[in-house]
Amino acid sequence: MLNSVKPTQGVISAEPEPIKLDWASTALLIIDMQRDFMEPGGFGETLGNDVSQLARAVKPIGALLKAARDTGMLVIHTREGHLPDLSDAPPAKVERGAPSLRIGDPGPMGRILIRGEAGHDIIPELYPLDSEVVIDKPGKGAFYATELTDVLEKYGIENLLVCGVTTEVCVNTTVREANDRGYRCVVISDGCASYFPEFHEMGLKMIKAQGGIFGWVTDSAAVLEALKISTPA
Ligand code: C5J
């Protein structure tokens, strides 16, 4: 007979070393898997990026999301974006560079990086359930000007399984913010992606270097293994 008792703890094979986590105090934090970053016509492409580079993270995140839902782990999604009147968008962010469209301009998926527009929403494959937490953030880090700290405290979370896009921008900024606040961050290498593969690699190296100066790095299969869930084909 299969043992149906859910494990309360697991050891994740990770770098620089394995890490043991209590699942009840662990959340899956999915950073900015929004159409604006993932699809043609959104913010990412207006900056000149090849958005197809990010697609590789979708399947591993989907497997983690399913595992978190199956095991009752807290799931938190974030979305980067701004209020329609741009009152939370610093001019220094809106005015920089020479994008084809700026934040707030009308694009094929609605106004670029504006809350409530189609482009600002999360891709259908990873769409949040009503029961999951969605944090809207104006910055790169998920703690800046958001209710994330309150949410983590409310649910007694001490450990974060972090994935999403892009590795070196919003994922790294959030991990650094979380690390300074005392959270253990385990970053999922195949669940993160960058428009620049070399930045992805270096972004992960920066996290796990120096004995894990910002956190741990693992992959989705290792998390599923620690949760005792078989890896999807
Ligand atoms: C960027 C993000 N790259 N979510 N945002 O501007 O990483």
Side-chain angles (χ1 to χ4, degrees):
M1 206 173 85
L2 284 176
N3 182 358
S4 61
V5 178
K6 285 184 201 162
T8 56
Q9 296 184 326
V11 178
I12 304 177
S13 168
E15 291 182 293
E17 61 194 4
I19 177 166
K20 185 175 182 179
L21 297 181
D22 281 324
W23 300 126
S25 56
T26 301
L28 176 64
L29 179 60
I30 306 177
I31 303 290
D32 298 0
M33 292 300 288
Q34 297 161 253
R35 299 183 64 194
D36 253 321
F37 295 106
M38 304 294 298
E39 295 185 16
F43 180 61
E45 194 179 72
T46 68
L47 299 175
N49 295 310
D50 170 9
V51 294
S52 71
Q53 288 288 345
L54 305 190
R56 67 192 70 182
V58 175
K59 197 172 162 199
I61 297 176
L64 292 171
L65 185 55
K66 181 173 184 318
R69 287 172 177 168
D70 288 350
T71 58
M73 185 183 289
L74 180 70
V75 177
I76 304 171
H77 305 256
T78 70
R79 301 185 296 203
E80 180 182 343
H82 297 283
L83 296 167
D85 65 3
L86 296 182
S87 57
D88 62 351
K93 181 175 181 182
V94 178
E95 292 165 2
R96 79 181 52 180
S100 57
L101 292 172
R102 289 188 190 277
I103 295 169
D105 286 348
M109 293 189 287
R111 293 177 65 203
I112 298 290
L113 218 58
I114 298 296
R115 294 186 192 179
E117 303 287 345
H120 175 263
D121 216 346
I122 291 173
I123 58 170
E125 299 93 312
L126 303 175
Y127 208 78
L129 299 178
D130 287 345
S131 56
E132 293 170 352
V133 178
V134 179
I135 300 282
D136 280 317
K137 61 186 187 65
K140 305 304 182 193
F143 287 83
Y144 167 67
T146 74
E147 67 281 25
L148 181 55
T149 300
D150 293 340
V151 170
L152 298 177
E153 284 177 2
K154 176 179 162 191
Y155 287 95
I157 298 301
E158 298 172 3
N159 319 306
L160 298 169
L161 303 177
V162 189
C163 55
V165 296
T166 62
T167 316
E168 78 282 12
V169 183
C170 290
V171 172
N172 247 272
T173 306
T174 298
V175 166
R176 290 167 189 231
E177 287 181 330
N179 181 61
D180 278 349
R181 287 164 174 79
Y183 296 97
R184 296 178 197 89
C185 293
V186 183
V187 179
I188 319 297
S189 56
D190 56 340
C192 296
S194 170
Y195 302 117
F196 308 92
E198 67 275 28
F199 291 176
H200 171 78
E201 290 305 321
M202 291 310 293
L204 297 175
K205 278 187 181 167
M206 286 178 195
I207 288 164
K208 68 186 177 187
Q210 304 178 73
I213 195 125
F214 297 121
W216 291 254
V217 175
T218 187
D219 61 20
S220 58
V223 175
L224 298 182
E225 163 81 22
L227 281 165
K228 309 279 182 231
I229 290 174
S230 53
T231 308

